[in-house]
Amino acid sequence: MSYTTTPYSAQPSAPHAETILEMRSITKTFPGVIALQDVNLAVRKGEIHAICGENGAGKSTLMKVLSGVYPHGTYDGSIVFEGSPVQFRNIRDSEHHGIVIIHQELALSPYLSIAENLFLGNERSSRGVIDWNKTNAEATKLLAQVGLKDSPETRIYDIGVGKQQLVEIAKALSKDVKLLILDEPTAALNDEDSAHLLGLIETLRQRGITSIIISHKLAEIIRIADRTTVIRDGRTIKTLDMKADAVTEEVLIRSMVGREMGSRFPTRTPNIGSEVLRVEDWTVHHPIQQDRKVVDNASITVRRGEVVGLAGLMGAGRTEFAMSVFGRAYGTRITGRVIKDGKDVTPHSVGAAIDVGIAYATEDRKRYGLNLLTDIKRNIASASLKKVSKYGVVDGGAEAKVAERYRTEMNIKAPNVDVVTGNLSGGNQQKVVLSKWIYTDADVLILDEPTRGIDVGAKYEIYTIINDLASAGKAIIMISSELPELLGMCDRIYAISEGRVTGEVLREDANEETLMRYMTMENDTDQEVAR
Amino acid sequence: MSAVKQMLGGNIRQYGIVGALFAIVLIFQFLTDGKLLLPNNVASLIQQNAYVMILAAGMVIVIIAGHIDLSVGSIVGFIGGVVAIMMQHWGWPWWLAILAGLALGAVVGTWQGFWVAYVGVPAFIVTLAGWLAFRGLAILLVGVTVSIGTQPQFVAISNGSIANFLGYIDNRDVVTLVIGALVIALMVFSQLRSRRIMQSHGLAVEPAVAVWARLAVLTVLVAFFAWTLAGSRGGTPIVLIIVGIVIVTYSFVTRRTVFGRNVYAMGGNLQGAMLSGVDTKKMNFFIFVNIGFLASIAAVVTTSKAGAAVGSAGNLYELDAIAACFIGGTSVSGGIGRISGVMVGALIMGVLNIGLSILQVDPAWQQVLKGLVLLLAVAFDLNAKRRAGTR
C-alpha cells in the first residue's frame, strides 16, 4: 500500500492561549458504578490532545459524554465549546457544532462504495434523487485531502482497515469538522498505515483542526501529542505538556497506573528441557484463493519450559500458521508434519489437536475466544468438557469448582464464576481465555496476541502467568505485533515474512532492528535462513 | 454487586414470563366466568397443546444453535399419514406402527441434518424445502383422510386417561393425586440435592430461604394442578405423561449434558465453539435428527387426537412451536433459551387458544390476538435485555 499526502500551505499554528473545548467537573454514573467523577478537560484550539489511561479508566465514557451519545441531563457538569455552553442531545447535535467522533469499531457500510459512505445520511441529492456526479466529484476531493488514491466507487469491503480509517476521516472532513475525536485509531493498523494516519492527523493540525486521540500506544502519543490528559479510575490525574515536560513512556505509565513499574516484564530464569513440538515443512493455502500459499514450508521447534516468539508484520501468516497447526482451523491444501514428543501427531481437527495437548488462544477473544453470552465457569470448561463430565453428563459442581480455582489463581476480577463474560474487562476476559486453555492440560500453548487491547497493569499479570506456565514446563509459542513484548518475554524468536520463516534469533542476540530486518525480508531477495 | 443484580435480572426475566402466564390465566378465568380452570378444560388444555410442547422442546434446541426449522408441521402430517397407513392398510399393531413412525422421524431428521451439517445449506432453506416436500408426500399418501377405527389403544394416547385403579376420594381421581405428590417429592428432592452438592464443593449457594420459598410456590402450583385434574372426567391424560417425560428429558439434555452445553456454545459463538474443539457438523446433524424424532412423537399425538390421518394435519405447527420459543425468552440470534421458559410460552399460547375458544371468539380474531401477543412478548424481552445491558 502506498499513499501520497497532498501538501498544504502551512498555516501558522494557532496561539496556544485559546481554548476550544472545556469539560467542567463531569460526573457520570451508571447503576452501581461511578464511571467519571469530577473530570476536567481543557483542549486548546489547533492542538493534538491525547487522552490516556488504563482500560476502564473512563476515556471512552468521557468521549461519549462529549459527543452526545450520553445526552445532556444524563451526567453532571458542563461543556463549553468555542466559548459558549453546549448541551448535546445526540450525535447529530454535536456534529452540527463540528465535533466528530471516529469509533474504534469503524461504522462504514461494507457493500456501499467509498463515496456512498462519505455522504451517508448527508447525501448530495436534489429532491431525494442522488446526484452521482456531484457525489463522486466531492468524494474525490475529500479523498485527496486524506491522501487516498482509490476510486470513490470502490466498495469499502475491498479496501483494508487502514484505508477505511482514512475514509472515516474524510467523512469527518465533509462535515466541516472542528474537533476530531479518534478512539484507538491505530489499534487495528500495521506500522505503515499507522504512520500514515498519524502524519495525516498532524497535517490536519496545520489546517487548524483540533484532535483528541485516545490510544494505548504510548510511543504514538509521545510522537504526535502536544498535551496529554491522564485519566485513572474515572478521575483526571493530570494534564502534561509533552514538550515542556519532556514526557517519556515511563512517565505516562507511572501516571496511568499510579505506581512505579519496576519493569514492564517480569523476570524468569529459563529452565529449558527437551523438545516437545516440531512443525516440519508446513505449507498452507488460502481457503478461497487456493493457489495462494499463506504459509510456505515453515518449520519451527519448541522445547519444554521455553517461550518462543513468532514475529511478523500484519499479513505475514503468523495467525494462519498457528491456526492451521491447531487442527486445520484455517486454510486448505495443508501439507507438513506436526511432531510431538517424537511422534507424528499431525491433527486433522481441533478436537484432535486438543487431545494431543496443543492449545491455541486466539488473538480475537470476542469473536473467536469466548461465548460472551454465558458465564465464566462454562467458558473455562468449554474446551475440556470431557474432564468435567461422565457418560456425556456434565458435573456442574466439579465444573464450578474448577472455575473457582482459576478465578482465584488467575486473579479474575469478578465476584463469582457465574458472571457473564461479556461483562468483564478485556484483561479479565483474557484471563478466562487463558484459564480455559490451561485447563485442557495442553503441553504446548500457542498464545496469539495475548495482551492485545489490555491495559498496562493487566498486561503485567498476563506476562507473569505466561512465565509461570513456562516455569511449570509448558512450551509456549507467543505471537505478538509488539516487538518490545517479544524481546522482553521470549527465549527465542522466529521471524516470519510472507509465510516463510526468515530468521531465528536467540534472546541474547535479539533486538528490534535485527527482527525488523528478517520480518521485512522479501521472497525474491534473500532465501537464506539465518541462525 | 453487579453480579447479584445480573442473577436477579435473569430471574426477573424468567419470573416475568411466568407472571404473564398468570395474568393471562386470571384474565380468562374472569372473562369466562371461571370456566377456564374447570377440570375438564384444564385436561383438554393439555391434550390440545401437547404437540406444541413436544415440538418446542426440539425447536428451542434448533434456535439456540442458531438455526430454524420450518418443516416440523409437514413432517407431522407425513409421519402421521404413514403411521395410519401401517395400521389401517397394512394391519400392523398400534405399537409397532408407533415404533416405525418414531424411526421414520429419525430418518427424516437424518435427511435434513445431512443437508444442513455436511452440505452446508442454511437450515432455513433445507427446512423450507422439507416444508414443501413432506406436505406433498403427506397429501399423496393420505389423500383426504385415513381414519383409525380398528385400534382404540392408539386413539387413547391423546384422548384417554390413565386407568383409575385406586378409586376416588371425594370425587377426585387418586391416581392423579398420587402422581402430583410424586412430582412434588421429586422436585423437593432434586432441588435440595443439587444445593447440597454445590455446598459439598464449597461453592456459594443461594440462601435457604429462597430455595424453600420457590419450592413452596411450586408445590402449591403442582398441588392445585393435580387437584384440578383429579376432578376431570378421566383424571390424568395419558399425553400429559408423554409431555412430562419430554420436558424432564430435554431439561436434562439442555442443562446437564455435553450435547446441550455444545448447543449453547455454538449459538453463543460459532467460531469460538469450533476453536474449542466442538465438532459443529456432528452437532448440527444430531440437532436435526433430534427434532425429526420429536416431530414423529408429535405426529403420533396429533394423529391419535384426531382419530385419523389427514393430509393437512400439522399445518402451521412449526409456527406454534417457534412462537412458543420466542415468547418463552429464546434469543432470536441464538445462544439463549431454556426448556422451562419455552414450556411457559407454549402454555401462554395454549391458554389463549382455549380461553378464546370458550369465549367463542372468531378463529380469525384469535389469530390476530396471538400475533399481537407474540410481538409484545419479544418486544418486552428485547427491552428487558437492553435495560440489563445499559453500560
Side-chain angles (χ1 to χ4, degrees), chain B residues 69-336:
Chain B
D69 189 335
L70 302 176
S71 67
V72 287
S74 297
I75 297 175
V76 164
F78 170 61
I79 291 180
V82 173
V83 169
I85 285 168
M86 284 169 177
M87 288 187 293
Q88 292 305 113
H89 295 181
W90 303 353
W92 290 19
W94 61 275
W95 54 270
L96 185 60
I98 290 176
L99 287 180
L102 299 185
L104 183 59
V107 171
V108 167
T110 303
W111 163 258
Q112 302 208 103
F114 164 76
W115 290 102
V116 174
Y118 295 105
V119 185
V121 180
F124 188 94
I125 306 295
V126 171
T127 60
L128 182 61
W131 179 82
L132 289 165
F134 291 114
R135 176 62 62 206
L137 287 176
I139 293 168
L140 283 175
L141 280 176
V142 175
V144 183
T145 170
V146 175
S147 82
I148 300 154
T150 55
Q151 310 233 15
Q153 298 96 326
F154 184 84
V155 179
I157 292 171
S158 287
N159 298 291
S161 308
I162 307 265
N164 175 340
F165 52 87
L166 295 175
Y168 294 93
I169 298 174
D170 189 19
N171 254 339
R172 305 271 162 177
D173 172 31
V174 176
V175 173
T176 305
L177 297 179
V178 169
I179 293 174
L182 281 176
V183 169
I184 291 172
L186 268 176
M187 247 165 29
V188 173
F189 173 74
S190 74
Q191 291 262 336
L192 294 184
R193 181 170 170 273
S194 71
R195 188 179 142 86
R196 203 163 333 107
I197 291 176
M198 292 282 280
Q199 269 172 330
S200 76
H201 282 297
L203 297 163
V205 289
E206 340 168 60
V209 188
V211 177
W212 284 109
R214 190 169 59 232
L215 280 174
V217 172
L218 286 172
T219 300
V220 169
L221 283 177
V222 174
F224 173 77
F225 185 68
W227 182 252
T228 309
L229 264 189
S232 74
R233 212 172 296 120
T236 305
I238 295 173
V239 77
L240 177 60
I241 303 297
I242 298 176
V243 169
I245 292 172
V246 167
I247 292 176
V248 171
T249 307
Y250 282 91
S251 298
F252 181 80
V253 167
T254 51
R255 293 172 59 163
R256 294 286 310 279
T257 64
V258 172
F259 175 84
R261 195 55 71 73
N262 286 344
V263 169
Y264 284 98
M266 285 165 62
N269 186 344
L270 184 62
Q271 302 284 345
M274 278 183 203
L275 287 176
S276 301
V278 177
D279 188 339
T280 51
K281 286 183 179 170
K282 198 167 115 194
M283 287 294 302
N284 281 333
F285 178 73
F286 280 110
I287 286 166
F288 279 90
V289 172
N290 177 60
I291 193 167
F293 173 73
L294 281 167
S296 68
I297 299 180
V300 169
V301 167
T302 303
T303 313
S304 160
K305 183 88 184 64
V310 190
S312 63
N315 190 29
L316 298 185
Y317 279 14
E318 58 281 345
L319 299 187
D320 288 332
I322 292 169
C325 289
F326 290 142
I327 292 176
T330 310
S331 165
V332 180
S333 47
I336 297 174

Side-chain angles (χ1 to χ4, degrees), chain A residues 62-75:
Chain A
L62 185 65
M63 289 306 107
K64 284 179 180 168
V65 166
L66 173 56
S67 57
V69 174
Y70 298 132
H72 178 79
T74 63
Y75 57 87

Side-chain angles (χ1 to χ4, degrees), chain A residues 81-349:
Chain A
F81 188 65
E82 294 191 307
S84 50
V86 286
Q87 301 180 349
F88 301 135
R89 280 162 304 168
N90 49 44
I91 295 197
R92 274 191 101 81
D93 264 5
S94 61
E95 285 190 352
H96 192 71
H97 282 78
I99 300 175
V100 179
I101 182 162
I102 297 178
H103 290 282
Q104 208 172 336
E105 284 91 20
L106 299 179
L108 298 171
S109 181
Y111 298 110
L112 294 183
S113 72
I114 294 178
E116 285 170 298
N117 269 286
L118 284 178
F119 301 115
L120 201 59
N122 189 15
E123 283 79 6
R124 296 295 176 260
S125 60
S126 65
R127 293 196 201 92
V129 178
I130 293 184
D131 181 344
W132 285 109
N133 292 330
K134 199 172 170 197
T135 300
N136 287 328
E138 285 188 30
T140 311
K141 265 186 236 158
L142 286 167
L143 291 181
Q145 292 185 28
V146 296
L148 196 53
K149 286 202 282 193
D150 296 68
S151 151
E153 291 175 61
T154 316
R155 286 191 310 175
I156 292 297
Y157 183 77
D158 297 324
I159 61 178
V161 193
K163 290 187 179 181
Q164 290 181 12
Q165 191 72 258
L166 298 179
V167 172
E168 283 275 16
I169 293 178
K171 191 173 170 182
L173 294 178
S174 78
K175 293 172 184 162
D176 292 325
V177 60
K178 290 173 192 153
L179 175 62
L180 184 64
I181 305 166
L182 301 121
D183 190 355
E184 297 279 356
T186 60
L189 304 191
N190 63 26
D191 289 346
E192 189 192 347
D193 288 348
S194 299
H196 179 78
L197 182 74
L198 297 177
L200 176 64
I201 296 169
E202 284 174 324
T203 314
L204 294 177
R205 171 172 59 187
Q206 288 169 13
R207 292 176 55 193
I209 294 174
T210 314
S211 299
I212 295 180
I213 178 167
I214 298 179
S215 181
H216 274 129
K217 299 186 181 170
L218 304 182
E220 235 170 65
I221 291 181
I222 288 175
R223 190 190 131 189
I224 67 162
D226 298 306
R227 293 194 308 152
T228 300
T229 297
V230 179
I231 296 181
R232 188 201 313 153
D233 301 331
R235 296 160 193 270
T236 355
I237 298 305
K238 58 175 96 162
T239 295
L240 301 157
D241 189 314
M242 303 303 280
K243 291 193 187 65
D245 301 347
V247 176
T248 61
E249 288 191 33
E250 269 58 47
V251 172
L252 284 177
I253 291 174
R254 211 181 307 136
S255 32
M256 276 162 65
V257 299
R259 67 193 132 84
E260 221 38 81
M261 295 278 278
S263 159
R264 281 169 65 190
F265 304 99
T267 52
R268 165 175 59 93
T269 318
N271 179 18
I272 296 170
S274 55
E275 179 184 297
V276 183
L277 189 82
R278 166 185 290 271
V279 181
E280 278 181 355
D281 307 327
W282 199 251
T283 298
V284 179
H285 291 81
H286 192 272
I288 297 158
Q289 301 154 262
Q290 300 197 359
D291 295 331
R292 203 176 110 203
K293 281 184 186 172
V294 182
V295 178
D296 188 358
N297 209 27
S299 302
I300 68 163
T301 61
V302 202
R303 290 172 290 174
R304 218 171 289 283
E306 187 179 35
V307 180
V308 169
L310 295 187
L313 297 170
M314 209 169 275
R318 296 165 303 171
T319 295
E320 291 79 359
F321 172 77
M323 285 180 73
S324 57
V325 168
F326 185 59
R328 309 195 157 178
Y330 172 90
T332 50
R333 295 172 59 200
I334 299 169
T335 54
R337 299 199 301 158
V338 177
I339 293 153
K340 181 153 175 286
D341 299 318
K343 272 185 294 186
D344 186 339
V345 295
T346 317
H348 291 243
S349 72

Side-chain angles (χ1 to χ4, degrees), chain A residues 30 33 326 329 350 354 366-368 370-371 378 385 389 392-394 397 399-401 415 419-420 423 436-437, chain B residues 1 3 5-6 201 203 252 256-259 261-262 264-265 268-269 271-272 274-277 334-336 391:
Chain A
F30 295 104
V33 191
F326 185 59
V350 172
I354 295 172
K366 288 193 175 170
R367 271 175 68 196
Y368 301 133
L370 291 171
N371 179 353
R378 288 193 173 86
L385 281 176
S389 63
V393 178
V394 178
E399 178 185 60
K401 204 172 165 186
V419 175
V420 173
N423 295 348
K436 166 178 159 181
W437 290 111
Chain B
M1 174 68 199
K5 222 176 227 166
Q6 214 182 319
H201 282 297
L203 297 163
F252 181 80
R256 294 286 310 279
T257 64
V258 172
F259 175 84
R261 195 55 71 73
N262 286 344
Y264 284 98
N269 186 344
Q271 302 284 345
M274 278 183 203
L275 287 176
S276 301
I336 297 174
R391 217 222 113 109

